[in-house]
Amino acid sequence: MHPLSTESGASPAPRPGPHHTADRPAVPARLEVRDLSKTFAGVTVLDRATMSIAPGEIHALVGQNGSGKSTLIKLVSGVHRADPGGEILVDGEHVGPPVHPRRLFEQGLAFVHQDLGLVPDLSVRENVRVGRHATRRLTGWIDRRRDREAVRRTFEFLGLPLDPDAKVASLQPSERVAVAVARALQDREAGSGVVVFDESSRAIPRESLPAFYDMIRLLASQGTAVLLVSHNLKEVLAVTHRVTALRNGRVVETGVPTADLDEAALTRLVLGREGRLDNLVATLPARLAPGTIQIDGVAGGRVRDFSARITPGEVVGVTGAIDSGLPDLAALLGAVRPAEGRIAVEDRPAVDLAGAGVPDLMAAGVALIPQDRAAQGLALSLTVEENVTAPHLMNRGHVWWTGRKWRHDETDYVLDTFEVRPRQRDAVVATLSGGNQQKVLMGKWLLGRPRLLILDDPTQAVDVGARSAILHATRQAAQQGTAVLLCSSEVEDLAAVCDRVLVLVDGEVARELVVPLTPESILDATFPPAAGGAA
């Protein structure tokens, strides 16, 4: 089978040994990252990240959404500039920061992103050679013959019989990935450099994944270093040699051999939360109210079919492996990402997610507290009061006058209820800690007394005190008649606050757990013995 064939398979084939092994003489790392940090608006999102990748190694970078993976890749690719003090080296040579995007290829770095960055209406040749066209000496016109020959040589190396003049729109998904890889490898000596696959496998249908894995192995067998950023744990375990895990903006483990891990161990490495919380279900028992929230047939991303019935006053958790669809679910339900399906809130007309936006869900009484509070939940440059009261201006204010007393009163309520520090209505949100920012975000939406509250990993990147306050507020919201859907990978949170837990497998609800819940029972349901291992 050539590297880009589309023969289907249930899971990746066993990984080969790395090109470079520990018992050989030490050689410079192909890619080395030392103490890279990044701060946005006073908030540190990446803190002294360090890792190294050997020639011929397939190295995984894993972590939850918001853990810092994307920031690290953007620093290495030159999209963002790192804070002073860090260093990026290729084959022992300093290449940044600052990294100059136009010089990345000469510095030995190539990137294949999730969206592939291809132009469907252009030819394979035009997509591969963009920015690197051969030109005629006298006229400066593009030399199509030389371009076509360069593309042919690259595809020959990859074992691909692609027509350089074919339109990209006519290609199979795995062939489009090959075009993106060919663009990254063109004119480069075999076995050199580093190729970063940034969630590239998410754009590939399952039946074409074995071909993608074969391509990665081919590159590594030649000596090229590969960095694979992935949420797919089975992929990481079966394809890569070592793994680096990010959590809350910090590298918690780096260089861990994947041969020493199984799926449950890798999940614990990614999640990393330890310690038990108070049983809030017992402390604040459910007060079920009349009515029903019905969610039907939600699909999008890795979610294939999510349906659930929730009673007002109930906290229902949703969990699953990282590749189960869990990271996509809350954004689909909150109309942040394109989705199919319907949400019916009590006796109100059902909302069709295919044509709905956030205002439609707000009108139906649905509120989403997103995982990425900085990008989607808060206006960091505004004050606490401006953030807290913004969603309620239409109901409480007027076109010509927003009112002052109610804004002060409701902001004070949030500051006191959630113990936000500092207790200042005019504090700029960007100056608050991550935990206090999350408290402001929770208070902002709970003030509106939503009928359905969707939470997306609300305790991520917060300290123990903020975590307890957020979960306590979640349970109190349910006691006041709100139906809560808590999408979380934190099994301790789920055990402490949920009346039921739904377990996602391959984008569908596979199991349902009821109280009494424990972190161990939730983990066992998420990773039963039959589904464990690298498969």
Side-chain angles (χ1 to χ4, degrees):
M1 183 173 68
H2 64 68
L4 260 288
S5 67
T6 55
E7 180 180 334
S8 64
S11 61
R15 57 185 175 277
H19 187 72
H20 167 260
T21 57
D23 57 350
R24 295 181 184 177
V27 297
R30 178 55 49 82
L31 172 66
E32 187 171 4
V33 171
R34 297 177 182 171
D35 295 324
L36 281 190
S37 298
K38 184 62 182 176
T39 302
F40 291 106
V43 177
T44 300
V45 296
L46 190 70
D47 187 7
R48 293 169 292 174
T50 296
M51 70 175 181
S52 66
I53 309 174
E57 178 186 359
I58 306 172
H59 195 108
L61 181 64
V62 299
Q64 299 184 81
N65 290 338
S67 63
K69 300 190 309 298
S70 295
T71 301
L72 178 56
I73 297 304
K74 288 176 180 177
L75 295 181
V76 175
S77 63
V79 175
H80 295 324
R81 183 166 183 167
D83 295 346
E87 192 172 16
I88 304 168
L89 303 98
V90 174
D91 292 325
E93 296 292 328
H94 175 90
V95 299
V99 175
H100 301 285
R102 292 185 179 181
R103 292 173 49 201
L104 284 177
F105 188 86
E106 288 77 10
Q107 293 171 327
L109 294 164
F111 296 82
V112 180
H113 298 287
Q114 180 179 342
D115 62 5
L116 303 183
L118 302 178
V119 181
D121 291 336
L122 296 183
S123 69
V124 169
R125 171 183 56 78
E126 289 168 322
N127 273 275
V128 171
R129 297 296 288 174
V130 64
R132 301 183 63 82
H133 289 293
T135 57
R136 299 183 184 276
R137 181 177 301 177
L138 296 179
T139 64
W141 293 352
I142 293 174
D143 190 329
R144 295 183 180 180
R145 184 188 61 79
R146 289 167 58 196
D147 270 359
R148 191 176 292 108
E149 178 60 22
V151 172
R152 186 196 62 77
R153 288 196 303 268
T154 303
F155 284 143
E156 187 176 77
F157 163 71
L158 294 174
L160 283 170
L162 284 182
D163 178 4
D165 294 317
K167 288 288 182 68
V168 165
S170 70
L171 303 181
Q172 296 298 316
S174 60
E175 294 173 327
R176 296 185 188 186
V177 175
V179 173
V181 174
R183 183 173 58 194
L185 295 177
Q186 61 179 318
D187 299 334
R188 174 169 290 171
E189 180 181 353
S192 67
V194 185
V195 180
V196 179
F197 291 93
D198 188 6
E199 298 283 6
S200 304
S201 62
R202 298 189 70 168
I204 306 173
R206 182 174 301 187
E207 63 273 13
S208 298
L209 283 173
F212 173 65
Y213 300 140
D214 283 344
M215 179 189 296
I216 290 175
R217 295 186 182 102
L218 174 65
L219 296 175
S221 71
Q222 298 288 327
T224 296
V226 174
L227 179 60
L228 182 67
V229 185
S230 179
H231 276 98
N232 188 326
L233 300 190
K234 290 183 175 66
E235 175 179 273
V236 169
L237 290 168
V239 178
T240 68
H241 303 121
R242 296 191 300 158
V243 61
T244 291
L246 277 165
R247 197 185 311 141
N248 299 338
R250 294 185 175 183
V251 172
V252 292
E253 294 284 354
T254 187
V256 178
T258 47
D260 296 342
L261 301 171
D262 60 15
E263 192 169 346
L266 182 55
T267 297
R268 290 186 178 93
L269 186 65
V270 171
L271 303 183
R273 187 63 63 80
E274 296 180 356
R276 291 189 181 271
L277 296 163
D278 292 337
N279 186 344
L280 295 176
V281 177
T283 306
L284 300 169
R287 297 176 181 170
L288 301 184
T292 299
I293 285 81
Q294 183 68 45
I295 302 172
D296 287 315
V298 174
R302 289 185 179 272
V303 178
R304 296 196 294 178
D305 182 5
F306 178 81
S307 299
R309 180 187 294 265
I310 310 172
T311 301
E314 183 181 28
V315 180
V316 176
V318 185
T319 193
I322 294 175
D323 54 358
S324 66
L326 179 66
D328 300 324
L329 181 59
L332 298 172
L333 293 170
V336 175
R337 294 182 54 184
E340 299 176 358
R342 292 159 58 89
I343 300 178
V345 179
E346 299 173 349
D347 57 353
R348 305 181 188 187
V351 177
D352 185 352
L353 292 176
V358 173
D360 300 301
L361 289 173
M362 290 178 63
V366 180
L368 166 67
I369 296 182
Q371 184 185 78
D372 190 346
R373 56 180 172 262
Q376 299 174 341
L378 295 168
L380 295 181
S381 62
L382 300 183
T383 66
V384 171
E385 181 172 294
E386 289 167 331
N387 273 274
V388 164
T389 59
H392 315 295
L393 291 174
M394 294 295 293
N395 297 327
R396 300 293 300 274
H398 302 281
V399 174
W400 64 93
W401 181 64
T402 61
R404 179 178 297 176
K405 186 177 185 302
W406 74 267
R407 290 189 289 119
H408 288 354
D409 290 347
E410 296 202 349
T411 304
D412 286 342
Y413 173 80
V414 171
L415 291 171
D416 293 337
T417 301
F418 289 89
E419 298 182 349
V420 178
R421 296 295 181 268
R423 192 196 177 287
Q424 297 174 358
R425 291 191 296 262
D426 60 351
V428 175
V429 169
T431 66
L432 305 182
S433 68
N436 282 292
Q437 289 181 7
Q438 189 71 7
K439 292 177 184 180
V440 171
L441 181 58
M442 285 282 291
K444 163 183 172 178
W445 288 111
L446 287 177
L447 278 176
R449 298 290 296 273
R451 306 308 301 151
L452 172 62
L453 178 66
I454 304 166
L455 299 168
D456 190 3
D457 257 330
T459 65
Q460 183 184 10
V462 302
D463 60 32
V464 174
R467 179 188 183 198
S468 178
I470 289 165
L471 294 178
H472 199 271
T474 300
R475 196 69 198 177
Q476 283 187 318
Q479 282 205 318
Q480 294 170 7
T482 295
V484 180
L485 188 70
L486 173 59
C487 303
S488 178
S489 53
E490 304 288 2
V491 294
E492 291 84 5
D493 292 1
L494 295 166
V497 81
C498 292
D499 299 294
R500 292 185 287 137
V501 171
L502 308 177
V503 180
L504 287 180
V505 176
D506 292 333
E508 299 179 340
V509 176
R511 287 175 281 280
E512 179 177 347
L513 309 176
V514 297
V515 290
L517 297 166
T518 66
E520 292 78 14
S521 68
I522 298 171
L523 269 178
D524 288 344
T526 306
F527 304 101

